[in-house]
Amino acid sequence: MTTKTAEGLTWSLRDRTPDDLAMLADTVPALSADPSQWSDGAGVRVCVVDTGVECGHPGVGPVDGSYEVRAGADGTPRVIDSGPLPDGAGDGCGHGTACAGIVRRVAPECSLYSVRVLGQGFTGTGNALLTGLRWAVDQGFDVVNLSLSTTRPQFLETLRSLADQAFFTGTTLVASAHNTPVESFPWRFSSVISVGTHREDDPGLFLYNPAPPVEFFAPGQNVQVAWTGGKTIRTTGNSFATPFISGLCARLLGSRPKLTPFQIKHALYLSAANVRIGDPGTRGES
């Protein structure tokens, strides 16, 4: 049995090209493998669990709901409605706004929601993450973008349970791989769609990884993103590849609202640029 190590494709595409990842897959009838033929995301609810989203940012557009995790009177974290926010408020860091802007760019007509679990300086606790994610899953959002993770093992089993709950109740969790080769979660779980970054120039290119745990590579190198103060910046990281895939999930669901997370993952696989569609029953890599 071959053991995967950090020298493989686990955390990034490294110096390999899309041609090195050519695959062969069966086709799925009635669903185009060309993402340009999918919907614009209308009717699909996407929740960004992150640092919040800046209200009124031109690169994000309307946010249908803003929530945040706060400690209650007894110190227990809970999710509250942030209420109507003035323009420029809602994100003290920029990270969540960047992710929301990428989702909007890919799926322009989706309904965007924000749950703030991290504060200034991208700081937060595992309990806040669990509280915000649990709430998002319980609300039944179609897609939840998680451009964050935790390295703390005490949260592993609870996160795994939440990821499984989402998977079996129809919420697609899209989670970014850590930017360095360390153990973190929930991207390592098979019940989520895990995303890393490729280094190609094509802003619409995404690839399937034949050597998981990272399952897909998407644009995350020197990406132009929305930022606080109504601005845009260029930045790099798996965090910004992840909402690209979240947006694709929204477009898929807009085309086929009854798709399960398992079917969405398979549809993305069939549509990846490095996967070649073969005759039904054919197996193997090209």
Side-chain angles (χ1 to χ4, degrees), residues 95-107:
H95 193 269
T97 300
C99 294
I102 295 169
V103 172
R104 178 68 72 198
R105 187 185 308 160
V106 177

Side-chain angles (χ1 to χ4, degrees), residues 8-14 21 102 145-149 173-181 184 186-188 192-200 202-223 235-246 248 268 272 274:
L9 285 170
T10 303
W11 290 276
S12 71
L13 190 56
R14 300 185 184 274
L21 307 181
I102 295 169
N145 187 88
L146 290 169
S147 289
L148 44 80
S149 64
L173 299 188
V174 187
S176 62
H178 203 284
N179 288 316
T180 58
S184 66
W187 71 272
R188 291 296 300 266
V192 310
I193 295 174
S194 53
V195 187
T197 299
H198 65 61
R199 298 187 177 186
E200 304 300 313
D202 185 345
L205 178 72
F206 75 100
L207 305 163
Y208 171 74
N209 180 12
V214 170
E215 293 172 302
F216 296 97
F217 295 115
Q221 178 82 12
N222 197 30
V223 180
T235 187
T236 295
N238 293 340
S239 287
F240 311 110
T242 302
F244 179 91
I245 298 296
S246 293
L248 287 182
L268 289 172
N274 59 311

Side-chain angles (χ1 to χ4, degrees), residues 55-115:
C55 184
H57 196 294
V60 175
V63 177
D64 291 83
S66 293
Y67 304 86
E68 59 183 301
V69 176
R70 287 187 185 174
D74 61 353
T76 302
R78 58 191 179 93
V79 175
I80 65 167
D81 191 335
S82 301
L85 294 172
D87 285 357
D91 184 357
C93 178
H95 193 269
T97 300
C99 294
I102 295 169
V103 172
R104 178 68 72 198
R105 187 185 308 160
V106 177
E109 295 302 318
C110 74
S111 298
L112 270 175
Y113 295 79
S114 167
V115 178

Side-chain angles (χ1 to χ4, degrees), residues 231-278:
K231 301 176 182 178
T232 62
I233 65 168
R234 286 194 175 273
T235 187
T236 295
N238 293 340
S239 287
F240 311 110
T242 302
F244 179 91
I245 298 296
S246 293
L248 287 182
C249 291
R251 290 174 59 185
L252 269 168
L253 281 167
S255 296
R256 298 288 186 274
K258 294 183 179 180
L259 289 178
T260 66
F262 171 80
Q263 291 169 319
I264 289 171
K265 187 180 291 196
H266 186 57
L268 289 172
Y269 161 67
L270 292 173
S271 305
N274 59 311
V275 175
R276 181 169 63 84
I277 304 298

Side-chain angles (χ1 to χ4, degrees), residues 85-199:
L85 294 172
D87 285 357
D91 184 357
C93 178
H95 193 269
T97 300
C99 294
I102 295 169
V103 172
R104 178 68 72 198
R105 187 185 308 160
V106 177
E109 295 302 318
C110 74
S111 298
L112 270 175
Y113 295 79
S114 167
V115 178
R116 183 173 181 172
V117 298
L118 299 171
Q120 296 280 353
F122 204 58
T123 58
T125 67
N127 284 328
L129 168 59
L130 291 173
T131 300
L133 177 58
R134 180 180 294 108
W135 182 88
V137 172
D138 287 343
Q139 297 305 304
F141 287 108
D142 300 303
V143 181
V144 174
N145 187 88
L146 290 169
S147 289
L148 44 80
S149 64
T150 178
T151 60
R152 297 182 180 274
Q154 64 263 39
F155 301 117
L156 189 157
E157 289 308 321
T158 305
L159 271 174
R160 191 194 307 277
S161 177
L162 283 172
D164 285 348
Q165 178 186 338
F167 185 84
F168 291 119
T169 57
T171 293
T172 299
L173 299 188
V174 187
S176 62
H178 203 284
N179 288 316
T180 58
V182 299
E183 283 287 298
S184 66
F185 311 95
W187 71 272
R188 291 296 300 266
F189 303 151
S190 58
S191 53
V192 310
I193 295 174
S194 53
V195 187
T197 299
H198 65 61
R199 298 187 177 186

